[in-house]
Amino acid sequence: NLTEEKKVELLYRLLIEYRNVLPMKGVDYAKIGLNKIANDARLDSIYRFKFVNGIGDSYRYISRNEEAIDYYFRALRIAEKSRKEKDRAKALNNIGLIYNNIKDYKLALDYIKRSFRIFEQFNEKTLIIQSYNNLASIYWNDKKIDSALKYYNLAFEVSKDINDLVGLLHSYNNLGIVYLEKGDNYTALEFFYRSLEISQDLKDKKG
């Protein structure tokens, strides 16, 4: 027999599994999870942020930006109330992603930079890489190519430092796209080729 905690953990795993495949099914699992933790202070403190933030993700994946940002702001309030700084950074980051989606680049930069400063304090390298890529994406969408290039380069440097092959794969690809846009086809091809090499390495490692 599953304990209540195991049931809640299972519901959270189902949310993660479904949020970008069948997002509304993910939302259903999250809402069942939220009902289950409502009368259990300990489980509530562990899972409420995760479920609420996950519902935001589910809506973001199907471009229902209004609902997504509503849940991300709820997640932000939960993180602030519980004083969990990493959760606060995740919520700020996600709010920034929505503002990027709806082309409010000023607010997008503001939220992503606020989240980045927290990730930096914790020296969370993979999340720092993610922040650099998000900042680059905002500048790219806002047609500020040189600023995008700067942040893609920063993401590349950190990926290289920690030997993050997936991070490097994305960096080479992103840098290739930027150089293509700048008309430097030779450099772009060089980056695409390196991206291809890493992709092959990753396939080989998977067997």
Side-chain angles (χ1 to χ4, degrees):
N1 258 3
L2 285 177
T3 64
E4 208 59 20
E5 183 159 4
K6 289 271 188 237
K7 286 177 193 170
V8 172
E9 176 61 26
L10 182 60
L11 286 163
Y12 177 62
R13 285 179 186 277
L14 287 165
L15 160 65
I16 298 302
E17 201 63 42
Y18 279 101
R19 66 182 171 182
N20 57 348
V21 187
L22 290 167
M24 293 317 294
K25 203 159 184 58
V27 170
D28 290 342
Y29 285 124
K31 287 184 174 173
I32 297 166
L34 285 168
N35 283 334
K36 277 198 171 297
I37 63 173
N39 298 315
D40 186 321
R42 191 181 69 83
L43 290 179
D44 191 279
S45 72
I46 299 168
Y47 286 98
R48 180 164 294 277
F49 173 86
K50 292 179 176 182
F51 281 129
V52 171
N53 191 62
I55 293 173
D57 289 340
S58 299
Y59 283 124
R60 176 162 61 87
Y61 289 132
I62 49 174
S63 299
R64 284 169 62 171
N65 293 312
E66 214 169 292
E67 285 123 315
I69 206 164
D70 176 45
Y71 275 93
Y72 285 146
F73 271 114
R74 291 188 203 186
L76 179 61
R77 285 193 292 274
I78 293 162
E80 285 172 344
K81 201 174 169 187
S82 62
R83 298 186 178 174
K84 290 181 180 172
E85 282 296 282
K86 282 187 196 175
D87 285 351
R88 189 165 78 90
K90 285 172 191 169
L92 289 167
N93 176 75
N94 290 336
I95 292 165
L97 294 180
I98 298 295
Y99 281 125
N100 188 23
N101 287 351
I102 61 174
K103 299 180 170 54
D104 190 333
Y105 302 124
K106 192 171 179 298
L107 274 175
L109 286 172
D110 179 50
Y111 277 92
I112 300 281
K113 282 179 178 176
R114 281 165 66 189
S115 104
F116 169 72
R117 284 194 287 272
I118 299 169
F119 292 143
E120 216 177 16
Q121 284 168 18
F122 287 100
N123 202 27
E124 287 275 2
K125 298 286 190 190
T126 51
L127 294 172
I128 286 169
I129 293 166
Q130 185 190 85
S131 294
Y132 283 145
N133 281 324
N134 288 341
L135 288 166
S137 163
I138 296 163
Y139 282 119
W140 172 262
N141 291 340
D142 200 17
K143 307 285 184 281
K144 293 177 177 169
I145 307 300
D146 288 330
S147 295
L149 182 59
K150 173 189 162 184
Y151 282 101
Y152 280 139
N153 269 317
L154 287 167
F156 164 70
E157 291 299 335
V158 182
S159 298
K160 197 168 66 172
D161 284 348
I162 64 169
N163 198 29
D164 174 1
L165 288 183
V166 175
L168 282 170
L169 173 71
H170 291 310
S171 289
Y172 285 137
N173 207 41
N174 290 332
L175 288 164
I177 290 165
V178 174
Y179 278 105
L180 208 57
E181 179 68 21
K182 285 168 76 70
D184 187 344
N185 295 346
Y186 180 79
T187 307
L189 279 173
E190 223 177 315
F191 280 120
F192 288 139
Y193 180 69
R194 287 187 203 171
S195 163
L196 210 59
E197 280 184 318
I198 290 179
S199 181
Q200 196 53 56
D201 284 350
L202 289 168
K203 275 181 195 161
D204 292 344
K205 280 183 179 174
K206 277 185 181 174

